[in-house]
Structure formats: structure tokens, C-alpha cells
């Protein structure tokens, strides 16, 4: 199985919320060249991080595409003549089937491809990355085991090898429902409630974690995951039914109660 | 304002999940007489707790009705000739308007009445009661300040004085949505998912907290709270809309991203 080189530097395309998170964690280890088409006032905070042209960034041996899923196809067309044979290109999108298809179709066959989905964001990693999960989908060039070892042993991430389809099926439930519930809850539940329960507070905490995500993330999850619509419909149907016919909970732990009155 | 006596003993009617929670926490402080119409194998675990007849239990100076909301009216009719003048009767139901109406209509005017809603259950108090909340709705006989002081200083609960209507309006959101989301999530999300996010795990944790509740609790929340239907419909409408038109999150914390590609 081919192995990636010891990457000497990293090209990072996209300096939004997630690009910055990547830069913060990788820049202490390796030089990073960042390209973002949107002007930013932010100056690099780490000496090993600098802004470069798209060509310079694409010429790195490992190129990370931290752009919205909808921006992947035009970006890959622009990148195709700039990336070198043997380069590893990886994306970090919240869905994996669509970006995998784009990268495989558009980028030259001599380029190695890896789909990744870090299952965390700026909110959930305030205490650090350790223990968080990352899904890796090898697309071309085999499993980059050295990169996986870095993710495991340096960043203490749990690495989950999977395929784009298996990923999107699970995440349709995991992220699709979380974001759907979070957004709807934020819109109907005022923040001034006093009489809150522990379970409601956990749901509010979960909601706050994801409602700060970039709008592109929400769109990718609710619209670009091909399995999201079915899961969403099942959830909404069950929820609508419950109002009419409350059911016995699946896990019935209660002892007999005083219903005999 | 009338004050309750120093209660010498407590009558507890109903020995379901919540009745047992009450007994566990109160029996080290005071003798408790328990009545439950359903035969139970469980023997009292504390020397100050014993089972008695309904008449004995109703003759205590403080009587706690830990029965399903739907059982309140027939129970109050049975209790009315048994309770003594000056007795404090309180319920612990998840809605407050309906039980308040029943107690005020059916129990004799010489009986003092307090609606309570402990905003916790067996699941959320595994680590103890401290810091949990309890809503108190004085209905007849004023505010029982001594009882409130015990709840605050002995049990370290946060006491929230409110009215049945204000309570039911808030809880329609807090408990109505939590239970609705929890039940629907449990039914559509398999428990074997590997690629979970921190926010999804919090939602699962919140769901597990409430899905062990007695079926009567779920019914009381989804059916007996007069404001639950409107809140549920708003939530479901917003959630259904989001699938079609994902919106910009209310709290937009993201910096400009690479959407310019």
C-alpha cells in the first residue's frame, strides 16, 4: 500500500472557522501555507503559518481543502493543473459522498485522495482535541497510515476508517437530526426560561454547540447528505405521532405506580 | 400569612418511581406513612418508613400525592372526607393547572394546598438533589415558608415560586419538547452509531434521562399541558421548514469563510 511522504509542509485552502481550527493545531508541528480568496484582517499568529498564493499552497505535499461542500467542484477544477503527482489532497466536509465524487472526477489520477470528517468543531474542542473522533475515507492511494498515526498519537483523536456512503448514512442521523433539532429548538424556546430540567439543559447545550457553525455546514448536512431527508421525515413523523398517541417508552424502568386509583 | 406546623410525620400516597424517590430523601428526616393501592413486594428500607391504610396516611399533617395526573380527581374525592382541617396537601405532577383545579374544587376549604413540580427525577438525581430545581405554586393557605426553607437548606434545591399557568406555559417548552425529541430520537436513531459528535451524544444523554420516566409522566406532559400542542406544532413546523430552507443560525459566530470560490 503506498505511503505518504513525511510531509514537509501543509497547504491549507480556506481560512474559515474550521480552517482556523486546523491551523491552530497543525502550525506548532509543521509549516503551513494558507490560501483564502476572501480578504482577511487576521494576521498569522504562529511563525510557521503564512499566507501564500493558490499555486504555492497547491504545491505542498499535503493539501487540505477546508471550504464549503458547494465550493468543492469549482475549486478542484482550479486546482487540477496546480497539484503535483504524489500530492495528498484531503477535504474536511460534513458529507463525504459528494466531495469524494468531485475529487475523484476532477483531480488528476496521480494525486492521492482522502475524504475526512473531523467529528468536532470550534465549540466542542474548547477543552482540546483529545478523545474526539475523525472519520477517514481512503479514496485513492490507499490508507495513509502515517497520517492516521499522527492523528491518533499526537492529537489523541479516535480514527474511524469508513466509506463515503457508510459515513453519510450514519451522519444523516447524527448530524442531520442534531442540527435540525438544534435550529428548531433555538427558534421556539426562549433563552429566558427559568424552570428548566437537567435533560432540557443538556439539549440546550447541544444546540448551542452547533448553532455557531458556519451556514455552509448546516446546508451541507440538511441538503447535501442524500440520506438526510428520509431520516428527517421519519423523525418528524414519529414526533407528530407522539403528540397524538404518547407511547410507552422503549426502556421501561419504572416499578408499578399508583395508576390503580 | 398562615404557617404550616412543624410537620411531625408525612403521608405519602403513591409509591411509584417518584414516590420512592421522595421516600428515600425524606425518610431519614421524618416518619413517613405510605399508601399505594397496588400491591408491592418492596419492603420499607428505612425504619421510619411504613405502609399504612389510606385513612392513616391522609391523617398526617402533610400529605404528598405522588400519583399520575389522571388519577388526581378520583383520589381527591376519596381523600376529601379523610383529611383534617389545617392539613397541607401537595401534589408533585408534571403539569400544575389541572391538579390545582382538582385539589381546589374537591378538597375541603380548611385544607391548605400547594402545587409542586420537582424539576428532576430518578435519572437526573443519581448524584444527589443539590442544585436541582423545584417549582412551588401556593394555592390555598399562603406560602409554606418553613417547607421552602427545608427544601432550600436541607435538600439544597433551588425553589422557584410561580403560578400553575406560568408553570405550564414554561414547561410546555421545557418538558414538552424534551420528551417529544427524546422519544422520537430514540425511535429513529439506532444505538449502534459509531460516528457520533459531542452534540449528538449530549442529545442522546438527555434522551436517556427522560425515556425511563413512567408512562404517566409522558402523557401528562404531551396531553395534559394545555400549551404543549402549540409549542409542539411550532417546533415541528420550524423543523419541517429547515429541511427545505436551511437558515442562517441565530447566533452567527463564524468569521468570513471561503464561500467566495
Amino acid at each position: 500500500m503506498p505511503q505518504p511522504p513525511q510531509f514537509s509542509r501543509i497547504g491549507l485552502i480556506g481560512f474559515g472557522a474550521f480552517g482556523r481550527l486546523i491551523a491552530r493545531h497543525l502550525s506548532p508541528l509543521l509549516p503551513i501555507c494558507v490560501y483564502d480568496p476572501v480578504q482577511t484582517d487576521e494576521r498569522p499568529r504562529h511563525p510557521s503559518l503564512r499566507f501564500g498564493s493558490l499555486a504555492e499552497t497547491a504545491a505542498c505535499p499535503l493539501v487540505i481543502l477546508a471550504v464549503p461542500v458547494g465550493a468543492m467542484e469549482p475549486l478542484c477544477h482550479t486546482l487540477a493543473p496546480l497539484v503535483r503527482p504524489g500530492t495528498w489532497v484531503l477535504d474536511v466536509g460534513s458529507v463525504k459522498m459528494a466531495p469524494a465524487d468531485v475529487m475523484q472526477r476532477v483531480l488528476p489520477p496521480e494525486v492521492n485522495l482522502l475524504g475526512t470528517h473531523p467529528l468536532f468543531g470550534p465549540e466542542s474542542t474548547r477543552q482540546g482535541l483529545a478523545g474526539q473522533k475523525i472519520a477517514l475515507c481512503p479514496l485513492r492511494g490507499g490508507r495513509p497510515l502515517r497520517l492516521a498515526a499522527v492523528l491518533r498519537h499526537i492529537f489523541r483523536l479516535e480514527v474511524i476508517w469508513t466509506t463515503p456512503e457508510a459515513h453519510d448514512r450514519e451522519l444523516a442521523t447524527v448530524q442531520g437530526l442534531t442540527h435540525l433539532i438544534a435550529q428548531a429548538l433555538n427558534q421556539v424556546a426562549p433563552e429566558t426560561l427559568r424552570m428548566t430540567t437537567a435533560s432540557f439543559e443538556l439539549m440546550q447545550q447541544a444546540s448551542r454547540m452547533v448553532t455557531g457553525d458556519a451556514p455552509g455546514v448546516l446546508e451541507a448536512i440538511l441538503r447535501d447528505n442524500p440520506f438526510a431527508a428520509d431520516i428527517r421525515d421519519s423523525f418528524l413523523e414519529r414526533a407528530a405521532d407522539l403528540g397524538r398517541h404518547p407511547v410507552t417508552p422503549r426502556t421501561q424502568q419504572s416499578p408499578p405506580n399508583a395508576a390503580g386509583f
Side-chain angles (χ1 to χ4, degrees), chain A:
Chain A
M1 208 164 354
Q3 282 297 300
Q6 294 272 37
F7 301 116
S8 54
R9 51 206 288 261
I10 293 173
L12 174 62
I13 300 182
F15 205 58
F18 206 81
R20 285 159 210 246
L21 185 69
I22 293 170
R24 188 160 70 246
H25 290 283
L26 289 181
S27 55
L29 295 181
L30 275 176
I32 302 186
C33 183
V34 178
Y35 175 76
D36 191 299
V38 177
Q39 278 299 0
T40 171
D41 290 341
E42 190 158 337
R43 291 300 88 207
R45 294 210 187 121
H46 198 279
S48 75
L49 187 148
R50 67 177 188 83
F51 287 91
S53 68
L54 182 59
E56 278 177 288
T57 310
C60 295
L62 175 66
V63 179
I64 301 173
L65 313 183
V67 302
V69 170
M72 284 290 290
E73 182 140 9
L75 172 62
C76 285
H77 281 289
T78 312
L79 276 181
L82 303 174
V83 284
R84 299 174 179 180
T87 296
W88 278 83
V89 175
L90 58 88
D91 80 307
V92 295
S94 298
V95 294
K96 296 271 58 74
M97 288 168 75
D101 173 63
V102 166
M103 292 195 292
Q104 287 170 313
R105 247 187 318 108
V106 177
L107 293 176
E110 305 80 27
V111 168
N112 300 306
L113 299 175
L114 178 70
T116 84
H117 184 193
L119 296 164
F120 50 83
E123 283 299 312
S124 50
T125 54
R126 290 196 171 185
Q127 311 300 317
L129 294 181
Q132 300 286 346
K133 297 175 177 179
I134 185 166
L136 300 185
C137 304
L139 301 174
R140 196 192 287 157
R143 291 188 173 193
L145 297 178
R146 200 167 290 149
L147 176 63
V150 168
L151 296 173
R152 278 203 184 94
H153 301 299
I154 311 261
F155 295 114
R156 319 297 285 174
L157 293 172
E158 180 183 337
V159 168
I160 299 171
W161 296 103
T162 185
T163 65
E165 184 178 332
H167 169 278
D168 285 6
R169 281 190 190 279
E170 282 212 7
L171 272 292
T173 299
V174 171
Q175 282 195 300
L177 293 187
T178 305
H179 279 73
L180 185 76
I181 292 166
Q183 292 294 333
L185 195 59
N186 270 359
Q187 288 176 29
V188 302
E191 285 176 4
T192 51
L193 296 167
R194 288 185 307 159
M195 289 176 254
T196 52
T197 57
S199 48
F200 182 75
E201 285 167 17
L202 282 179
M203 286 200 182
Q204 279 188 311
Q205 193 186 336
S207 299
R208 279 193 297 268
M209 256 187 205
V210 299
T211 48
D213 284 352
V217 175
L218 184 68
E219 283 182 29
I221 293 161
L222 293 181
R223 203 183 51 191
D224 298 337
N225 186 316
F227 308 106
D230 279 353
I231 294 284
R232 181 184 66 232
D233 292 347
S234 300
F235 175 82
L236 293 176
E237 277 163 28
R238 288 306 307 129
D241 276 357
L242 282 166
R244 293 187 288 271
H245 317 288
V247 297
T248 300
R250 188 165 62 181
T251 314
Q252 182 50 44
Q253 303 166 338
S254 303
N257 65 25
F261 279 108

